[in-house]
């Protein structure tokens, strides 16, 4: 089974404070001037069911960023794998984020290429209540090394509740699905420099509905 996906993510924080230097303790010095900033990420994804127990995935990403009058671009790829354990309700997964990449290049006189962060993300998911409830745990290795917890609950096949968190940050979300169309909303109070963030996404496809209505059947010979 082959699956394709397309994703566009645009981040527009408005204006941010320009930082021209660091103080004696290494902290940014506020210049008192605000400059426009933002970024856009285009992703094309491909997934394949390699065997009854293994799913493989590849996503190719093109990233553009602007800061003041400078623009930067980069291309990278993520590699992923999901393995369904003999306990069929439990799956484990791994993703090599930015495993293949061309670093961020700016259209300025500075030709320095900035490498994107590369790290391994590991996770485990447990489906219960006839796949209505999924409990998940993941960890980023080689970057933040932070442990995340999450849950997704579908009381019906049309509506979902989501919640998660890591190191003091909390995320809450809702999902609405009608036929092949799904709208998702998420809110997070990230404790990092980005702060409070809201996400809205739209999905077209029947992957979840097929999973719920057509359980897998294995024939042993």
């Amino acid at each position: 089974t082959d699956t394709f996906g397309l994703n566009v993510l645009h981040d527009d924080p408005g204006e941010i404070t320009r930082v021209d230097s660091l103080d004696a303790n290494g902290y940014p010095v506020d210049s008192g001037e605000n400059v426009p900033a933002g970024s856009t990420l285009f992703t094309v994804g491909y997934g394949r069911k390699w065997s009854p127990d293994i799913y493989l995935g590849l996503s190719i990403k093109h990233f553009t960023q602007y800061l003041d009058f400078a623009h930067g671009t980069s291309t990278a790829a993520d590699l992923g794998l999901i393995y369904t354990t003999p306990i069929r309700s439990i799956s484990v997964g791994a993703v090599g984020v930015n495993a293949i990449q061309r670093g961020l290049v700016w259209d300025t006189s500075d030709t320095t290429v900035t490498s994107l962060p590369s790290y391994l993300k590991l996770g485990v998911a447990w489906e219960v209540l006839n796949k209505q409830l999924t409990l998940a745990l993941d960890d980023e290795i080689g970057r933040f090394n932070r442990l995340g917890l999450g849950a997704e609950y579908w009381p019906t096949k049309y509506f979902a509740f989501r919640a998660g968190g890591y190191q003091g940050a909390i995320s809450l979300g809702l999902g609405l699905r009608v036929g092949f169309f799904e709208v998702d909303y998420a809110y997070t109070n990230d404790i990092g420099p980005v702060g409070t963030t809201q996400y809205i996404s739209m999905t077209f496809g029947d992957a979840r509905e097929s999973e719920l209505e057509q359980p897998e059947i294995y024939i042993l010979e």
Side-chain angles (χ1 to χ4, degrees):
T1 303
D2 298 308
T3 302
F4 296 88
L6 176 66
N7 175 66
V8 179
L9 176 62
H10 179 66
D11 180 21
D12 185 6
E15 294 188 338
I16 62 175
T17 302
R18 180 196 294 275
V19 174
D20 293 328
S21 61
L22 303 178
D23 61 19
N25 297 317
Y27 293 103
V29 176
D30 187 346
S31 67
E33 179 184 0
N34 292 333
V35 297
S39 63
T40 303
L41 176 66
F42 297 91
T43 304
V44 177
Y46 169 73
R48 180 176 180 80
K49 187 173 184 178
W50 188 260
S51 73
D53 301 323
I54 298 176
Y55 299 79
L56 301 178
L58 167 69
S59 63
I60 300 176
K61 307 176 293 185
H62 181 69
F63 178 72
T64 62
Q65 184 176 13
Y66 67 90
L67 178 62
D68 201 356
F69 295 105
H71 290 76
T73 61
S74 179
T75 303
D78 299 341
L79 304 175
L81 178 148
I82 296 177
Y83 170 65
T84 303
T85 69
I87 304 175
R88 308 304 296 178
S89 60
I90 298 179
S91 300
V92 296
V95 178
V97 180
N98 299 327
I100 305 171
Q101 65 169 281
R102 180 183 68 86
L104 186 63
V105 180
W106 293 90
D107 60 351
T108 63
S109 57
D110 185 356
T111 58
T112 302
V113 178
T114 305
S115 296
L116 301 176
S118 297
Y119 55 95
L120 179 65
K121 178 174 282 191
L122 302 176
V124 58
W126 180 30
E127 295 179 318
V128 295
L129 300 180
N130 195 28
K131 297 187 177 182
Q132 287 182 282
L133 175 64
T134 301
L135 305 175
L137 179 151
D138 66 31
D139 190 15
E140 296 179 358
I141 299 175
R143 191 185 186 197
F144 298 116
N145 293 320
R146 62 189 182 188
L147 190 66
L149 301 173
E152 178 185 70
Y153 177 57
W154 290 81
T156 73
K157 67 177 182 179
Y158 305 108
F159 196 73
F161 298 94
R162 302 183 181 98
Y166 65 90
Q167 296 180 348
I170 297 175
S171 297
L172 300 173
L174 300 172
L176 175 64
R177 184 167 187 82
V178 179
F180 291 170
F181 179 70
E182 182 176 331
V183 178
D184 297 293
Y185 168 81
Y187 164 90
T188 177
N189 68 333
D190 196 318
I191 58 178
V194 177
T196 299
T197 306
Q198 299 182 70
Y199 301 90
I200 297 177
S201 66
M202 293 179 289
T203 304
F204 298 89
D206 63 348
R208 176 166 178 79
E209 191 165 347
S210 298
E211 180 185 4
L212 292 176
E213 295 183 356
Q214 300 178 14
E216 296 174 337
I217 298 176
Y218 300 101
I219 299 177
L220 301 179
E221 297 180 352

